Amino acid sequence: MKSFKNHLSLVIALLSILFSVQIFTIVERSIDAYKENLAKNYSLVVVSKKAIDPKTIQTKVSLVTHIDEISPDGVIKRLNAGISKKNAELLKVTLPKFYKLKLKYYPSPQELQNIRATLLKLPSVMKVETFEGTHHRTYRLLLLFKTVVSVFSLSVLVVTVLLIFKELRIWQFQHNERMSIMGLFGAPTWLRSAVLFRLAIVDALIASALAFVSFIYVSSNKWIAEQFENIGINVVVFDTTYDFLTMLGIAMSVSLLLATLIVLGHKEEV
Amino acid sequence: MDKVIIAKNLSLAYSKEETIINKVNFSVDSGSFVFITGASGSGKSTLLKSLYGALKPVEGSLVVGGVELSGVSNKKLNFLRRHLGIVFQDYKLIKEWTIEKNIMLPLIINGYEKTVTQNQVDSLLKHVKLKHQAGKYPLELSGGEQQRVAMARALAHNPILILADEPTGNLDEYSSQVIWNLLEGANEQLGTTVIVVTHHIPETMSVDYKHYHIEFGDISEIL
């Protein structure tokens, strides 16, 4: 029972670290997926006196993935009633060219300003419409969401690290006696700390396994999948290989660091 | 005769202000049985601690089993300790290990094979009359039983030198007798050097022994 309790305290601490890291990862992925979605529906409009070669734009602004010329036919058709066909053709030639620019991803306001400035430097470009108002509002909302989640994850991390340091003192007390006795019989440092490192590795494995099972459940949960569908994004909640290896790496690093600190902080009794 | 311990002008202290042992000279022959007596606080246990390197000399030289302990490296100290058998007044058993595993400790450290280790532990458990308690944990045993386990641990790897700090201090007569028999047996049959720090020497001793007394930081042989 006592041994189970010893394991439990470190396993819980490690689990909360793994949960906060994975939740942060899920939020990051969701925001990226949402930004990608936004980028699909978002475009800039460039007004130019003369036709522009799409390659010129793409060379200047690497974020641009696709350029479509907006045909003036629709506007002219609406005006058609009042003007002759000849004049309509003339009007078509004299009208400025309109281009719709698609971007690789949803840019930050700063990036958007830079794109705008670069495009305006092109000789024939008269105007660049970035629809900043709507863009900035959505972007700020995303940033706010990300900040809230980051702060939450960071707070969990800080609390957990404090808990782990408390655990470190308990472990130091528990293991000091055994390590001292082994030292009195000439055990080398690796042998004195072997039990401690074995415990640390076992706890890291238990925590990673529990986190793995939990996130497998979460990723297969219909309600969560529905929520992502509702906002129109498809997110990998838990990548069984990459995420599990990351979790295992974090749990191992933290618990081995804890064990190393105990070994380094061990003082032989006199 | 070979000397297993040689102390020259040895001074021991826990702090600069208070010297416990002051420039003493003595030596212990290999295979001898030695008692060190003295009043409480005279420095008997301090001297014993210095013999297993838990307290380094502040002055002079102390050679144990051929290893100079003033300024000794951890590696050399570990090497020496692997050849010592130490019995503490407070037993110093590992609470989370069974008594069987506690006795195995020096054998594990010295890299003995599993079968040799198991045979040696079984034989020692019989000697200390604790065979039926092999799977128990130290805190499940009485003080006398715990000290017998500590004694078995000290003997497990056939050490060159046994250092015992008041091994029968708080024990009942039966456990005390088992301890003395084991110490005498190791000395007589295996030729192990034994140094015992104690308040009084038992009257039933069957082996020849030397008696040193510590007083006012000095050590003298009582003939």
Side-chain angles (χ1 to χ4, degrees):
Chain A
M1 191 63 193
K2 199 180 158 194
S3 154
F4 175 70
K5 269 186 192 168
N6 289 346
H7 278 289
L8 200 67
S9 41
L10 183 64
V11 168
I12 288 175
L14 287 174
L15 256 182
S16 51
I17 290 182
L18 297 182
F19 268 75
S20 60
V21 167
Q22 190 59 24
I23 285 170
F24 182 75
T25 309
I26 294 170
V27 170
E28 273 261 296
R29 282 178 190 159
S30 310
I31 288 171
D32 286 346
Y34 196 69
K35 274 168 88 174
E36 206 176 291
N37 220 15
L38 281 174
K40 268 183 210 161
N41 302 319
Y42 175 76
S43 50
L44 298 169
V45 173
V46 172
V47 185
S48 169
K49 281 182 225 162
K50 287 186 259 171
I52 319 170
D53 181 8
K55 276 184 190 164
T56 314
I57 295 178
Q58 276 174 324
T59 329
K60 295 275 179 192
V61 186
S62 56
L63 264 186
V64 175
T65 54
H66 198 76
I67 301 162
D68 278 329
E69 193 182 339
I70 303 168
S71 166
D73 290 350
V75 183
I76 291 166
K77 212 175 182 180
R78 264 186 272 153
L79 297 170
N80 224 2
I83 54 169
S84 67
K85 201 176 178 183
K86 195 184 167 188
N87 282 344
E89 281 300 315
L90 193 67
L91 186 64
K92 200 174 173 180
V93 177
T94 52
L95 265 177
K97 305 285 179 194
F98 294 86
Y99 295 95
K100 197 161 84 174
L101 272 60
K102 287 272 180 195
L103 302 178
K104 267 184 204 162
Y105 60 84
Y106 200 62
S108 69
Q110 185 56 47
E111 279 177 308
L112 201 59
Q113 263 189 3
N114 292 343
I115 294 169
R116 187 189 157 92
T118 313
L119 289 171
L120 280 171
K121 273 182 198 161
L122 292 171
S124 56
V125 172
M126 296 156 63
K127 198 176 176 189
V128 176
E129 184 54 71
T130 55
F131 308 102
E132 273 175 8
T134 329
H135 174 268
H136 284 182
R137 209 165 36 242
T138 318
Y139 194 83
R140 278 187 188 134
L141 261 172
L142 278 177
L143 278 185
L144 178 71
F145 182 54
K146 196 177 169 177
T147 310
V148 168
V149 174
S150 305
V151 168
F152 172 74
S153 302
L154 200 72
S155 329
V156 172
L157 265 176
V158 169
V159 172
T160 314
V161 167
L162 289 175
L163 269 174
I164 283 184
F165 272 103
K166 200 183 162 204
E167 190 61 24
L168 176 101
R169 282 202 202 106
I170 297 169
W171 272 37
Q172 228 155 13
F173 177 74
Q174 282 173 343
H175 295 277
N176 242 1
E177 194 186 16
R178 191 195 58 247
M179 285 166 74
S180 291
I181 294 171
M182 291 178 84
L184 288 171
F185 285 86
T189 311
W190 70 265
L191 189 61
R192 288 182 222 179
S193 38
V195 177
L196 194 62
F197 279 100
R198 199 171 59 210
L199 264 175
I201 290 169
V202 167
D203 286 3
L205 286 173
I206 295 173
S208 308
L210 287 175
F212 178 81
V213 172
S214 310
F215 280 104
I216 284 285
Y217 171 75
V218 169
S219 63
S220 61
N221 187 287
K222 275 186 187 167
W223 183 83
I224 289 170
E226 270 172 24
Q227 302 314 304
F228 284 123
E229 253 174 49
N230 287 345
I231 50 172
I233 54 171
N234 184 20
V235 175
V236 178
V237 174
F238 186 69
D239 183 324
T240 46
T241 314
Y242 178 78
D243 288 352
F244 176 67
L245 289 178
T246 309
M247 278 180 172
L248 192 64
I250 292 170
M252 283 288 180
S253 312
V254 172
S255 53
L256 290 178
L257 179 72
L258 176 71
T260 309
L261 286 174
I262 293 168
V263 172
L264 293 178
H266 168 73
K267 281 190 186 121
E268 208 168 294
E269 285 173 35
V270 177
Chain B
M1 192 171 270
D2 286 346
K3 304 281 184 197
V4 75
I5 296 169
I6 305 165
K8 284 179 188 164
N9 287 322
L10 175 69
S11 293
L12 300 170
Y14 290 107
S15 65
K16 281 180 183 172
E17 294 82 37
E18 200 184 2
T19 305
I20 311 286
I21 299 290
N22 197 13
K23 294 183 178 175
V24 298
N25 292 289
F26 70 94
S27 62
V28 174
D29 292 333
S30 182
S32 59
F33 200 113
V34 176
F35 280 105
I36 299 173
T37 58
S40 296
S42 59
K44 322 185 278 294
S45 296
T46 304
L47 179 64
L48 203 76
K49 276 179 186 173
S50 75
L51 297 180
Y52 57 81
L55 191 66
K56 303 269 160 64
V58 287
E59 203 186 330
S61 148
L62 176 62
V63 179
V64 178
V67 177
E68 170 59 75
L69 289 177
S70 47
V72 67
S73 67
N74 283 340
K75 203 176 168 185
K76 269 193 173 174
L77 185 60
N78 282 340
F79 173 79
L80 169 69
R81 285 177 176 179
R82 271 175 236 151
H83 296 91
L84 302 180
I86 316 171
V87 184
F88 305 90
Q89 196 179 6
D90 59 350
Y91 327 127
K92 289 206 190 302
L93 297 174
I94 298 173
K95 292 182 193 82
E96 59 269 34
W97 287 8
T98 60
I99 64 162
E100 190 175 38
K101 197 171 175 191
N102 266 289
I103 298 171
M104 274 180 195
L105 178 66
L107 299 165
I108 296 169
I109 293 169
N110 281 288
Y112 279 73
E113 271 181 36
K114 255 189 170 179
T115 45
V116 177
T117 302
Q118 195 57 56
N119 291 341
Q120 179 79 331
V121 171
D122 288 342
S123 151
L124 282 163
L125 278 167
K126 254 187 234 167
H127 270 89
V128 294
K129 322 260 187 288
L130 289 170
K131 181 85 183 133
H132 57 293
Q133 314 255 46
K136 284 194 174 171
Y137 290 89
L139 295 180
E140 295 175 301
L141 306 182
S142 69
E145 288 171 327
Q146 287 190 54
Q147 191 60 302
R148 272 142 65 192
V149 175
M151 190 67 229
R153 180 181 62 183
L155 294 168
H157 53 305
N158 298 327
I160 53 159
L161 172 64
I162 293 177
L163 303 169
D165 188 4
E166 304 203 25
T168 56
N170 307 309
L171 305 189
D172 57 89
E173 211 173 298
Y174 174 74
S175 289
S176 297
Q177 199 50 58
V178 173
I179 302 285
W180 290 126
N181 288 346
L182 284 166
L183 288 172
E184 284 184 276
N187 180 251
E188 262 181 337
Q189 289 154 32
L190 304 169
T192 312
T193 312
V194 179
I195 297 180
V196 181
V197 162
T198 185
H199 275 293
H200 68 273
I201 301 165
E203 288 161 9
T204 53
M205 288 299 292
S206 61
V207 294
D208 292 335
Y209 61 86
K210 274 189 172 185
H211 179 191
Y212 286 103
H213 187 75
I214 297 182
E215 203 171 25
F216 307 119
D218 196 16
I219 186 165
S220 53
E221 189 176 355
I222 295 179
L223 301 165

